[in-house]
Amino acid sequence: MNLKLKFLSLLLVGMGISILTTAQTPLDGLMMPKGDICVAVVYEDANWDKYWEGTYLRTNQNVGTFNRKMVMPMIVGGITDKINLIVSLPYVKTSASGGQLAGVEGLQDFSISLKAQLVEHTAGKGKLKVFSNLSFSTPASNYLADYLPFSLGFGANELGLRAIGLYELDKGPYFRISGAYLHRGATQAERDFYYEDDAFYTSTMDVPDALHAQASLGSWFFQKKLRVEASLTSFRCVSGSDIRAYNSPQPTNKVDFDRLEGFAQYYFNNVKGLGVLAYYNHMFSGRNMGQFSGYGLGLTYQFNAF
Amino acid sequence: MKIQIRYLFALISLAALSYSCMEELPTELEFSGYEFAALDKDAGEWNLILFSNNEEVVISQPSAVGSPGLNQELQDAKAKIAKATSSQKEAVNYWTNNPLLRWNEIALELATKYNLIPAPNADGSYPAPDPAKPDQYPLFPYSHPPYTSRMLAYLSVAQYDGLIMAWHYKEKYGRPAPYELDSQIKSAYEANGLNSYPSDGAVVAVTSRDILTAMFPLEKEFLAKMADEHLESLILAGINVNSDVEAGKLIGNQVAKKALARAATDGMKNAQTNKVKSDSIKNAAITRFGWSWENMETPQRPVGLTPLFGKVKMWNVPTVEEVRPIAPPAPGSAEFNKDAEELKRFANNMTTEQRRVANFWNDGLNSYTPPGHWNRFAKETAVKYKLSPVRTARVFAYMNMAIVDAGISCWDAKYYYHYPRPIQSIPGFKTILGTPNFPAYTSGHSTFSGAAAEVLSHFFPAEASQYKKWAAEAAMSRIYGGIHYRFDAEIGLSQGKKVATYSVIRAIKDGAETF
């Protein structure tokens, strides 16, 4: 039972902290057994007051401090012991303390993902596990991606393929790495002309594909009631342009970042199936995006459904 | 294990599927050379804009058909065509037999590239582009709507006068094209029987290169490369020999010089003022009306965009005062409040369609601006109606003269009335478009669009309802965007239309409409 909740929490963290650009894909190294369902909700609040124009970190008083709030409901189900299905649908709200541009709010992207455990064997005093994850997300409302930095998301379909490796000692400490390729489609702007090192006579904007990698070091405590983890995440678009001098970003930009994250999760002894989680993250380098720092809080509840 | 294999299979299939959906996005107007609806053989007698006489630029009499000189040129052309590389053949297809459309496209791309507003310095002051040091940040030019409208007018007028002269000499000397003189030479485009001396393509290549180089000095090498490619393509296309091209270059060069001489003294260099002058203009408005516009950015920009663009020499309107619109309603008046309430209503209940309209017409920073948008429409229409190069040039010349005149009139109104923007006059008001750095009344989009639609409607009456719809939509887009009141937009539209009437009246009398 604990394992399932851990799985979910890990999943939530993976999704919650990567909501803006890394897509809502599970990163963890755990599975739920057949017939189990988990419902969860994560609240996230993140800010930046500097952004990278290309690689130049700058301020803009006409944005001031940028804020993004998100509420993300999610459902995870064990189809078999080796294959899990995960769906989520975040609601996002953006605003800025400076300038006169209006923030926006609404449903962001509906995400569905399948995760399969491919390998599990005992190695030394722990276990080695390998997972693969196939994810798909698509905009869930008609939000305009070409309204940066306020837009709710990148406005395109995304197909992601991820490999996850986990080595966990029986005593609790674990190390996990994952890498993903995220193939993104095109988003539709409302203008039919834009500049991207050339003039484009179309409203179709290609959103660059991206690579996402994460390394995490964590451990379980108190008979697996508490888990604490630190992660390093790197995100790199494989193509795209830089934001032009003192100009707005656009969905065709090359977005990169590196981020440190701290995460903790706790399962209650007295309420069966209930868990809480909290995290904080900070970007320490990037390109063509705001330097976000944010925290998240989540509640999870798991039960056997069939 | 079975499940794992199935899963992997599904992954691979999906990945393959997603890669097959990539598409190539268009970076230019998709058209190829076409058969002209008419050759406009009498175009050499149409009224010029900058010149008074169609032989003011003199070219020598060409060597006659059958002469050794011309035969040698035909042999040289054939040798070049035989050796043409695939990239040279691509260039022939790219430039087409109406290359003015490509040069207009290049002009819009450069307008977009240079349409970036200067960022503040660390101390809160703002730098300004310096034409004497164009490569120093902020790069020269800042190709904002007034700059772009004026640039397009010079480009189009020079192309037009050059082509009228080319048509005059084509008719006067009557030298057939190489593909008619030598059966081994084939025209890459529709064989239309147009005389080839002087080359109209060369006139367009050189006028365009020279005007655009003056307007975008940092693009000198790029423009020279494009012009060389274009000039070379004229012979490779089988439509010109070398002496055609040389004569066309001579006309192009002289016409561009005359246009640039006008540009040097049209008042544009004084349009961007210092703060002292800018404040005196603002104070005059406060004295006159009791209100004034303020830039609302942080740090505040000390001077609005080109306060004296309204003093730039107009093309077809004798005085800017005669097209100045009536005064706007005073802030706080009932009429003002009605339109301000409308803005709040739109902001609070924005529909998908209103948002689309606002963004479609935004044409703000990093875009070809509203004048560019209308040039795009004009290009599409010229292709649709299969206009000859000279008739195409006429459409652009009259439209772009009307557009820049409308801009000058609009800027006159903007700084004469110095009217506050909604973000200044409505407390806490937020917008979905960025508010530009100049006063509200009247709307530039509306004035530019009203003028462009009026001229295009004259030339293409069957399309008039579409142009008027577009102009009205462009005007409304600024209201949806929250950056203009309805009175800015509506009066701007009629102001643009009125300004354009001067261009249309000139066009009616220029000799091109007697058919």
Side-chain angles (χ1 to χ4, degrees):
Chain A
M1 194 50 126
N2 273 340
L3 214 62
K4 300 165 202 164
L5 279 170
K6 285 162 209 157
F7 160 71
L8 179 65
S9 306
L10 265 166
L11 184 65
L12 282 171
V13 170
M15 297 179 82
I17 60 186
S18 60
I19 196 80
L20 179 67
T21 48
T22 65
Q24 302 76 7
T25 47
L27 301 164
D28 63 277
L30 296 162
M31 297 297 289
M32 289 208 314
K34 181 179 176 179
D36 267 27
I37 285 181
C38 180
V39 291
V41 64
V42 175
Y43 171 79
E44 185 185 271
D45 194 306
N47 290 302
W48 55 259
D49 53 21
K50 292 193 180 99
Y51 67 98
W52 288 284
E53 181 183 282
T55 54
Y56 165 56
L57 187 62
R58 73 174 308 147
T59 57
N60 185 336
Q61 294 178 73
N62 299 300
V63 177
T65 299
F66 182 89
N67 177 262
R68 187 187 71 230
K69 292 179 169 60
M70 182 192 72
V71 175
M72 185 176 69
M74 188 168 71
I75 299 171
V76 187
I79 297 173
T80 72
D81 288 354
K82 297 288 182 194
I83 295 183
N84 284 186
L85 177 76
I86 307 134
V87 295
S88 68
L89 183 58
Y91 188 90
V92 175
K93 180 177 180 177
T94 61
S95 61
S97 69
Q100 285 87 18
L101 283 176
V104 287
E105 61 183 291
L107 288 173
Q108 194 209 38
D109 300 335
F110 172 72
S111 168
I112 181 161
S113 98
L114 273 175
K115 187 172 154 191
Q117 182 168 354
L118 305 177
V119 174
E120 173 171 359
H121 68 253
T122 305
K125 290 177 180 177
K127 275 191 177 129
L128 179 70
K129 295 177 184 175
V130 176
F131 305 85
S132 177
N133 173 257
L134 176 70
S135 62
F136 175 76
S137 73
T138 190
S141 65
N142 73 338
Y143 72 80
L144 179 62
D146 184 31
Y147 184 54
L148 286 164
F150 295 95
S151 54
L152 301 179
F154 56 80
N157 292 344
E158 179 185 270
L159 189 65
L161 181 58
R162 168 173 280 114
I164 305 158
L166 170 77
Y167 183 69
E168 186 175 322
L169 292 172
D170 299 333
K171 285 181 176 176
Y174 62 84
F175 176 68
R176 189 184 72 243
I177 53 168
S178 68
Y181 188 82
L182 306 173
H183 172 59
R184 283 99 159 268
T187 189
Q188 293 301 314
E190 289 176 337
R191 49 181 169 152
D192 66 350
F193 174 83
Y194 62 92
Y195 189 79
E196 173 77 5
D197 303 323
D198 199 347
F200 279 83
Y201 288 82
T202 173
S203 54
T204 301
M205 290 179 165
D206 277 333
V207 180
D209 287 2
L211 296 164
H212 180 278
Q214 191 182 61
S216 308
L217 201 55
S219 187
W220 299 96
F221 300 98
F222 310 128
Q223 290 82 47
K224 294 206 161 181
K225 290 292 168 202
L226 174 69
R227 188 165 68 85
V228 177
E229 181 181 300
S231 304
L232 172 65
T233 300
S234 280
F235 182 91
R236 295 285 181 278
C237 281
V238 300
S239 62
S241 61
D242 284 335
I243 301 172
R244 305 193 68 207
Y246 208 59
N247 192 44
S248 303
Q250 64 187 25
T252 53
N253 290 142
K254 174 173 170 54
V255 169
D256 297 345
F257 65 84
D258 297 302
R259 184 171 60 194
L260 278 170
E261 300 152 9
F263 159 81
Q265 167 190 30
Y266 185 75
Y267 303 110
F268 294 99
N269 274 327
N270 45 353
V271 186
K272 192 185 171 198
L274 189 68
V276 291
L277 63 91
Y279 60 84
Y280 177 83
N281 59 55
H282 174 72
M283 288 178 186
F284 60 90
S285 77
R287 183 167 178 165
N288 300 311
M289 73 170 302
Q291 186 179 20
F292 273 108
S293 294
Y295 69 87
L297 298 169
L299 202 60
T300 66
Y301 183 72
Q302 185 174 352
F303 57 94
N304 190 263
F306 58 93
Chain B
M1 199 60 203
K2 212 170 158 190
I3 280 172
Q4 291 162 15
I5 289 165
R6 267 188 221 157
Y7 182 81
L8 283 172
F9 179 74
L11 290 186
I12 291 160
S13 315
L14 270 165
L17 195 70
S18 72
Y19 278 101
S20 62
C21 303
M22 309 281 260
E23 57 172 319
E24 193 73 13
L25 299 174
T27 54
E28 59 198 38
L29 177 63
E30 288 181 31
F31 79 103
S32 48
Y34 56 86
E35 186 180 0
F36 305 135
L39 282 186
D40 296 309
K41 288 194 171 177
D42 62 340
E45 309 312 310
W46 295 351
N47 290 352
L48 296 137
I49 307 287
L50 293 160
F51 292 82
S52 44
N53 178 331
N54 55 19
E55 292 200 2
E56 220 167 313
V57 178
V58 179
I59 58 171
S60 57
Q61 182 162 346
S63 43
V65 173
S67 67
L70 182 55
N71 286 343
Q72 185 56 49
E73 287 195 65
L74 291 168
Q75 291 310 313
D76 292 347
K78 275 194 281 189
K80 282 183 181 168
I81 293 167
K83 281 188 288 181
T85 64
S86 61
S87 71
Q88 285 173 322
K89 286 174 189 163
E90 265 174 48
V92 168
N93 287 332
Y94 167 76
W95 287 102
T96 80
N97 57 355
N98 196 357
L100 175 163
L101 299 172
R102 291 294 178 221
W103 282 104
N104 186 274
E105 203 163 71
I106 291 166
L108 297 197
E109 181 173 341
L110 295 181
T112 306
K113 181 176 176 183
Y114 285 87
N115 186 6
L116 292 176
I117 197 167
N121 296 316
D123 64 0
S125 64
Y126 282 95
D130 181 355
K133 295 173 189 161
D135 58 343
Q136 165 189 300
Y137 184 84
L139 302 183
F140 178 83
Y142 166 19
S143 198
H144 45 69
Y147 191 90
T148 293
S149 67
R150 172 177 169 273
M151 175 276 287
L152 289 168
Y154 282 107
L155 176 69
S156 300
V157 164
Q159 289 169 336
Y160 184 45
D161 273 11
L163 286 178
I164 289 176
M165 288 186 196
W167 249 253
H168 167 71
Y169 286 120
K170 279 175 192 288
E171 197 59 16
K172 177 175 177 175
Y173 292 124
R175 190 164 86 177
Y179 62 84
E180 294 194 336
L181 297 176
D182 188 324
S183 61
Q184 290 174 317
I185 298 177
K186 304 282 174 228
S187 172
Y189 316 117
E190 292 288 336
N192 53 30
L194 189 65
N195 292 327
S196 75
Y197 184 89
S199 160
D200 51 296
V203 169
V204 169
V206 170
T207 50
S208 305
R209 179 196 65 198
D210 290 358
I211 299 288
L212 293 177
T213 299
M215 297 291 170
F216 301 101
L218 297 177
E219 300 296 329
K220 185 176 179 177
E221 283 172 23
F222 165 72
L223 291 163
K225 183 180 123 297
M226 295 305 278
D228 287 347
E229 183 193 281
H230 181 193
L231 291 167
E232 183 183 67
S233 79
L234 298 167
I235 293 171
L236 297 177
I239 58 170
N240 289 131
V241 293
N242 191 57
S243 56
D244 298 330
V245 172
E246 290 304 319
K249 282 162 74 174
L250 182 70
I251 293 174
N253 186 278
Q254 294 303 307
V255 171
K257 258 189 199 151
K258 181 122 181 178
L260 292 173
R262 184 192 187 276
T265 56
D266 67 358
M268 186 64 181
K269 63 171 181 276
N270 304 318
Q272 191 62 54
T273 71
N274 60 24
K275 185 161 173 15
V276 174
K277 181 69 189 167
S278 166
D279 286 349
S280 79
I281 292 169
K282 174 165 55 175
N283 290 332
I286 294 171
T287 307
R288 236 179 255 131
F289 307 110
W291 65 66
S292 69
W293 163 79
E294 294 281 350
N295 174 282
M296 301 294 282
E297 286 171 67
T298 314
Q300 185 179 54
R301 290 185 192 271
V303 181
L305 184 74
T306 56
L308 293 183
F309 186 62
K311 305 275 186 225
V312 168
K313 188 177 172 189
M314 298 176 93
W315 288 89
N316 295 321
V317 183
T319 63
V320 74
E321 288 79 11
E322 69 192 80
V323 286
R324 183 181 289 160
I326 55 160
S333 66
E335 203 185 340
F336 168 87
N337 288 340
K338 181 171 71 70
D339 287 357
E341 285 305 316
E342 178 184 50
L343 291 185
K344 291 192 239 173
R345 227 170 29 246
F346 283 139
N348 293 330
N349 311 287
M350 180 72 39
T351 67
T352 306
E353 175 61 9
Q354 288 164 349
R355 187 187 76 180
R356 185 200 67 77
V357 168
N359 286 308
F360 180 80
W361 292 99
N362 184 14
D363 298 333
L365 297 171
N366 198 30
S367 83
Y368 49 29
T369 77
H373 209 148
W374 285 95
N375 274 261
R376 176 183 181 177
F377 291 147
K379 282 199 286 286
E380 290 163 358
T381 315
V383 173
K384 178 179 172 183
Y385 282 82
K386 300 184 182 296
L387 298 190
S388 70
V390 68
R391 200 168 278 278
T392 305
R394 180 170 177 262
V395 170
F396 280 92
Y398 283 98
M399 180 186 75
N400 283 325
M401 284 192 290
I403 285 177
V404 71
D405 280 358
I408 292 165
S409 170
C410 178
W411 252 250
D412 165 68
K414 280 181 183 292
Y415 284 92
Y416 182 78
Y417 292 117
H418 227 276
Y419 203 77
R421 291 273 181 174
I423 52 168
Q424 183 187 345
S425 65
I426 305 172
F429 189 63
K430 298 255 182 186
T431 64
I432 60 166
L433 299 182
T435 297
N437 178 34
F438 37 84
Y441 184 83
T442 51
S443 149
H445 273 56
S446 310
T447 314
F448 286 130
S449 299
E454 188 68 11
V455 175
L456 291 179
S457 297
H458 170 71
F459 289 134
F460 307 103
E463 313 286 331
S465 63
Q466 179 63 65
Y467 294 133
K468 281 167 187 166
K469 186 174 152 272
W470 277 334
E473 195 177 89
M476 274 312 288
S477 76
R478 312 307 272 174
I479 304 172
Y480 297 144
I483 62 175
H484 275 293
Y485 316 94
R486 185 176 281 276
F487 52 81
D488 295 339
E490 289 180 347
I491 297 175
L493 263 185
S494 56
Q495 178 186 2
K497 189 178 152 116
K498 186 174 173 184
V499 168
T501 308
Y502 291 77
S503 281
V504 170
I505 288 169
R506 184 171 179 179
I508 288 168
K509 295 188 290 194
D510 78 347
E513 300 189 10
T514 48
F515 45 81

